[in-house]
Amino acid sequence: MTTKLYPEIVFETPDDGGDEEIDAACEEIHTACQGWGTDEGGLIDALASKSPEMRCKIYYRYKAMFEKDLEDVMKSECGSGDFGLALQYLAVPPNLSEAMMLKRAMAGFGTKERIVWPILCGRDNEEIVKLKETYFAAFDNDLGVQLSGELGGDFERLIFHCIQGSELEYDPDVFTDEKAEEDCNTFYDAGQGQWGTDEKSLFHIIATSPPEHLEKVNELYIEKHERTLISALEKELGGDVEKGSMHCVGMKIKPEETVAKLIKSTCAGFGTDELGLTCAIIRYQSILPQVNEMHQELFEKTIQERIESETGGNYKRLLLAIVDNACA
């Protein structure tokens, strides 16, 4: 099963009822926004320590208690810089947060593909359906239609394979060793085995194959061709379509390693990609303990150490608090 990022509460009817802990968190946020100036530390304490499930409850309860959308409060109090934007994403349920990230990626001149492919490639079917519903409800626009107006070429084709929610359920009677052999050969013939690349066949295999099957195909590919599926995609493709395809496979067969490398990539080269880093830390909050272990194994430093060296101010305090609390 492909890694799930949303808590089950996302798929339930929203409930704006509270309990002692949720009401206390809402009051803490409200108090931090009262008077002259904003208590940024109070907001960090109130939101960064909460699980995705609790943040869903806080979002709906806060609106019931104070008749304001929490993301609007964060924007009003903290702006839309790195810190303010991270708080806006943290203040809403994960599905709405991802919809907001996608909306921002497609706003203004040029599309930020580096935000699009980590959100849409290698996702659980149920979550993709929920994300599309959420995007339409929030922005009165079909996500697929908006993407078609922003993307093009092989990258657009990859993304549209991924947003169909077409990953098949694993059935050992269907996904046999013979089927793995067949898909391994098809994958090779579509890439390394011919002049030019049959991207459509590659995208179909990586988007529709359940993780258990794709692992078998990967093992066979290593045996036959002495490289992994990810390595083959890296050789055959380029740019964002290469990164998105590799991410799709990685999230199915090596999710913790894939996310660890994604986080590192936001800090590579000249300057830090703060938007990419923000999205990764918040989106993958539920699996950060495992990702942090892998990050340390691969790069000999924790995610916290990377944040310490790459960011500053309240933005750094917020990201560190999210990771620290998730890994506690």
Side-chain angles (χ1 to χ4, degrees), residues 9 14-31 42 45-47 49-66 70 90-91:
I9 194 173
D15 180 4
D16 61 10
D19 56 32
E20 186 175 344
E21 185 176 12
I22 299 301
D23 284 2
C26 291
E27 289 286 358
E28 189 177 351
I29 293 168
H30 185 66
T31 300
D45 291 342
L47 287 169
S49 62
K50 304 301 186 293
S51 68
E53 179 176 357
M54 287 187 69
R55 289 192 284 105
C56 288
K57 294 179 180 179
I58 290 169
Y59 176 77
Y60 292 111
R61 183 59 176 164
Y62 189 93
K63 187 167 185 177
M65 290 173 67
F66 302 108
L70 196 49
L90 200 62

Side-chain angles (χ1 to χ4, degrees), residues 30-281:
H30 185 66
T31 300
C33 299
Q34 295 300 297
W36 182 259
T38 303
D39 177 7
E40 290 88 354
L43 293 177
I44 293 171
D45 291 342
L47 287 169
S49 62
K50 304 301 186 293
S51 68
E53 179 176 357
M54 287 187 69
R55 289 192 284 105
C56 288
K57 294 179 180 179
I58 290 169
Y59 176 77
Y60 292 111
R61 183 59 176 164
Y62 189 93
K63 187 167 185 177
M65 290 173 67
F66 302 108
E67 299 182 342
K68 293 180 180 179
D69 287 322
L70 196 49
E71 70 271 30
D72 292 339
V73 174
M74 294 301 102
K75 184 175 182 179
S76 173
E77 295 292 329
C78 301
S80 293
D82 297 329
F83 175 63
L85 193 61
L87 276 177
Q88 290 173 51
Y89 294 155
L90 200 62
V92 302
N95 51 311
L96 179 54
S97 182
E98 289 191 328
M100 290 165 60
M101 292 171 187
L102 288 169
K103 180 70 172 176
R104 187 172 185 85
M106 293 184 280
F109 181 75
T111 302
K112 301 174 183 65
E113 287 86 354
R114 72 187 191 282
I115 304 302
V116 173
W117 56 257
I119 296 176
L120 298 177
C121 295
R123 294 299 298 274
D124 170 77
N125 288 350
E126 187 180 25
E127 292 186 354
I128 278 289
V129 171
K130 185 65 177 179
L131 176 55
K132 290 191 290 186
E133 292 174 352
T134 303
Y135 193 92
F136 187 83
F139 305 115
D140 197 27
N141 201 345
D142 182 88
L143 179 58
V145 171
Q146 184 141 15
L147 286 166
S148 69
E150 298 287 338
L151 310 178
D154 289 334
F155 185 60
E156 180 184 1
R157 284 186 278 277
L158 168 67
I159 293 300
F160 273 84
H161 270 84
C162 291
I163 67 171
Q164 299 310 309
S166 58
E167 181 181 286
L168 299 171
E169 184 176 348
Y170 181 69
D171 181 344
D173 293 331
V174 174
F175 291 103
T176 59
D177 291 343
E178 291 75 19
K179 175 62 174 169
E181 180 90 24
E182 177 187 335
D183 282 351
C184 177
N185 293 336
T186 300
F187 198 96
Y188 179 79
D189 291 342
Q192 286 181 266
Q194 69 170 10
W195 180 259
T197 305
D198 176 7
E199 291 86 356
K200 183 178 179 180
S201 294
L202 296 178
F203 298 161
H204 177 76
I205 290 173
I206 65 177
T208 62
S209 295
E212 300 90 339
H213 176 64
L214 205 58
E215 286 176 1
K216 289 184 185 178
V217 176
N218 188 55
E219 290 169 2
L220 278 173
Y221 205 90
I222 294 170
E223 287 179 18
K224 287 173 170 262
H225 309 296
E226 298 184 339
R227 67 170 67 234
T228 64
L229 296 180
I230 290 175
S231 175
L233 290 168
E234 187 176 20
K235 182 176 184 296
E236 290 298 317
L237 305 172
D240 289 302
V241 68
E242 170 197 316
K243 295 172 185 175
S245 298
M246 292 168 63
H247 189 81
C248 182
V249 174
M251 286 305 297
K252 295 190 180 197
I253 65 177
K254 294 182 177 181
E256 292 85 6
E257 179 179 326
T258 299
V259 177
K261 289 179 176 179
L262 176 65
I263 290 172
K264 180 183 183 296
S265 73
T266 65
C267 304
F270 182 74
T272 302
D273 173 11
E274 286 86 358
L275 179 58
L277 180 60
T278 297
C279 293
I281 295 298

Side-chain angles (χ1 to χ4, degrees), residues 306-323:
R306 190 172 295 284
I307 291 169
E308 281 277 6
S309 65
E310 297 288 338
T311 64
N314 285 324
Y315 176 59
K316 177 171 76 173
R317 291 174 61 200
L318 177 61
L319 294 190
L320 285 174
I322 295 169
V323 180

